[in-house]
Amino acid sequence: SALGGAGSGLEGSMSALGALREAAGPRPLFGPLEAGDEEQQQPAEIESLCMACLRRGVTRLLLTRVPFFREVIVSSFACDTCGWSNAEVQSAGRIQERGVRYTLAVRAKQDLNREVVKTDCATARIPELEFEIPAFSQKGALTTIEGIIDRAIAGLEQDQPVRKETDPGVAGQIDEFLSKLKHLKEVEEAFTFVLDDPSGNSFVENPHAPQRDEGLVVTHYKRSAQQSAMLGIQEEESDEKLVEPEDDLRNEVLQFNTNCPECNAPAKTNMKLVQIPHFKEVVIMATNCEVCGHRTNEVKSGGAIEPLGTKITLRVTDPSDMTRDLLKVGPYPSSCVPSCKCPRANAPALS
């Protein structure tokens, strides 16, 4: 939505982008922002609601390309009635695959003039002062390093008169810190500026581009789960979580359509994956025909064929032996009772 004019909503912003596309004509929609270029693309203007006085103001949108970076949308709002204004920079692309961290050694005043694209989810730090601008505490901005320091100074000075009346001790500490921030702009001593953006859409200018800048270190990193959640990105499930559907299969009875082997009428076959204690997994299949009443069941192995066969001989000496579980899988096993001279049985069963 437009800055300051949230009431205009997405429709106003999209109409402004459409107007920019029509006005660009054959030229690229995102043109380079260069000083002294009179033919460069002009910003689009739309009426927006001022959130301070609820009157009408003007939002200006400009689509531009930052050299050696990517496309951004620069927007500003101004209200002629109450004088309230603000500005914001948003990335015109998607969230990048990796986060980015810029570490700059500020050694001269020229370094303070470096162009900076700071998104709202980026964190700016000056380790020497233990100073940090947290993510989402400010809106995105197209500025310079000096501009970021000035913005921090203005934010801290805003409520100082009230603090001096209510809490003089805290106000004195803030005044002392403000003097340190202002002293940084003189660059009498080198300091470090760190810009960390998990979305990968922030930028610190390299005045020597495309050559390497010895004072600037750019690090691309993989986002943590917490950073992805902060950006509203759902992390891919780990390999451990991918096992869950198999666990659901073990607790679920699957059913599919088949034909009765006796009367060929439509019937239902139930299938269940079962873990036999101290053994392995098997698949139990049962068919019940409601037309002729035929019922059948079958047991199949849930794994591969073992390299060696198995022969089990049980001597029945007690009636309790008759209650033992017996599993015969597939057409291969056979069973017999030699003392009774009964024929071998080959039908698979779980009994």
Side-chain angles (χ1 to χ4, degrees):
S1 62
L3 280 181
S8 59
L10 183 59
E11 295 180 359
S13 298
M14 294 305 293
S15 63
L17 292 177
L20 281 172
R21 185 177 295 276
E22 294 178 1
R27 294 183 301 172
L29 184 60
F30 290 87
L33 187 62
E34 298 177 357
D37 187 1
E38 297 180 355
E39 296 183 357
Q40 69 181 3
Q41 181 175 306
Q42 298 299 316
E45 298 183 357
I46 56 175
E47 285 192 357
S48 306
L49 179 66
C50 176
M51 303 308 295
C53 66
L54 302 181
R55 301 290 183 89
R56 286 291 176 178
V58 177
T59 293
R60 294 176 175 84
L61 294 175
L62 177 64
L63 311 184
T64 185
R65 183 186 304 110
V66 178
F68 302 101
F69 186 50
R70 56 177 66 95
E71 295 84 2
V72 296
I73 301 176
V74 183
S75 55
S76 66
F77 175 80
C79 177
D80 295 334
T81 304
C82 66
W84 188 75
S85 64
N86 68 355
E88 184 177 0
V89 173
Q90 296 178 347
S91 173
R94 60 182 179 85
I95 295 177
Q96 305 303 309
E97 295 294 334
R98 291 179 174 269
V100 65
R101 182 184 302 108
Y102 293 88
T103 304
L104 174 65
V106 181
R107 302 188 180 99
K109 287 189 175 182
Q110 290 81 357
D111 292 330
L112 296 177
N113 296 326
R114 295 199 185 207
E115 192 174 68
V116 175
V117 177
K118 179 183 176 297
T119 64
D120 55 354
C121 59
T123 300
R125 296 194 301 271
I126 301 178
E128 287 79 1
L129 297 183
E130 298 183 355
F131 174 67
E132 177 177 310
I133 302 176
F136 299 106
S137 62
Q138 295 178 350
K139 292 184 177 180
L142 174 60
T143 180
T144 62
I145 295 178
E146 184 177 8
I148 291 178
I149 296 175
D150 287 339
R151 192 175 182 182
I153 292 173
L156 291 173
E157 288 180 339
Q158 183 176 359
D159 296 328
Q160 274 298 85
V162 178
R163 291 193 193 97
K164 291 179 180 179
E165 296 292 334
T166 58
D167 197 339
V170 174
Q173 294 176 0
I174 293 178
D175 282 335
E176 182 180 352
F177 187 78
L178 283 171
S179 64
K180 294 180 180 179
L181 280 178
K182 294 176 181 178
H183 185 69
L184 285 180
K185 297 167 61 176
E186 302 299 326
V187 199
E188 294 181 359
E189 295 180 0
F191 66 91
T192 306
F193 175 79
V194 180
L195 185 64
D196 191 337
D197 186 356
S199 73
N201 287 324
S202 290
F203 172 74
V204 175
E205 179 189 8
N206 173 10
H208 309 292
Q211 298 178 358
R212 182 180 178 183
D213 186 352
E214 297 296 334
L216 180 63
V217 178
V218 183
T219 305
H220 297 273
Y221 61 88
K222 183 178 180 181
R223 282 185 292 270
S224 65
Q226 182 179 3
Q227 289 173 326
S228 297
M230 179 183 68
L231 297 174
I233 302 175
Q234 184 177 1
E235 285 289 300
E236 295 182 358
E237 294 183 352
S238 61
D239 294 338
E240 297 179 355
K241 294 184 178 179
L242 294 178
V243 183
E244 293 182 358
E246 297 181 5
D247 295 336
D248 294 339
L249 184 62
R250 293 188 182 95
N251 299 324
E252 182 180 359
V253 178
L254 302 180
Q255 189 177 80
F256 55 90
N257 297 324
T258 185
N259 292 332
C260 175
E262 291 293 328
C263 66
N264 204 33
K268 300 285 187 181
T269 296
N270 296 327
M271 183 175 69
K272 180 75 165 59
L273 186 65
V274 178
Q275 176 69 46
I276 303 298
H278 309 293
F279 188 50
K280 59 183 67 176
E281 287 184 337
V282 296
V283 179
I284 301 176
M285 304 177 65
T287 302
N288 183 15
C289 179
E290 297 180 355
V291 178
C292 67
H294 177 75
R295 294 183 179 182
T296 181
N297 63 77
E298 185 179 0
V299 180
K300 295 185 177 182
S301 173
I305 297 178
E306 299 293 335
L308 299 176
T310 302
K311 180 180 180 180
I312 302 174
T313 303
L314 172 66
R315 182 174 179 83
V316 179
T317 58
D318 188 87
S320 61
D321 293 331
M322 304 296 292
T323 62
R324 297 196 185 201
D325 290 334
L326 175 63
L327 173 64
K328 294 174 59 180
V329 181
Y332 309 106
S334 61
S335 60
C336 66
V337 182
S339 59
C340 296
K341 298 181 179 181
C342 62
R344 293 178 178 273
N346 295 325
L350 174 63
S351 60

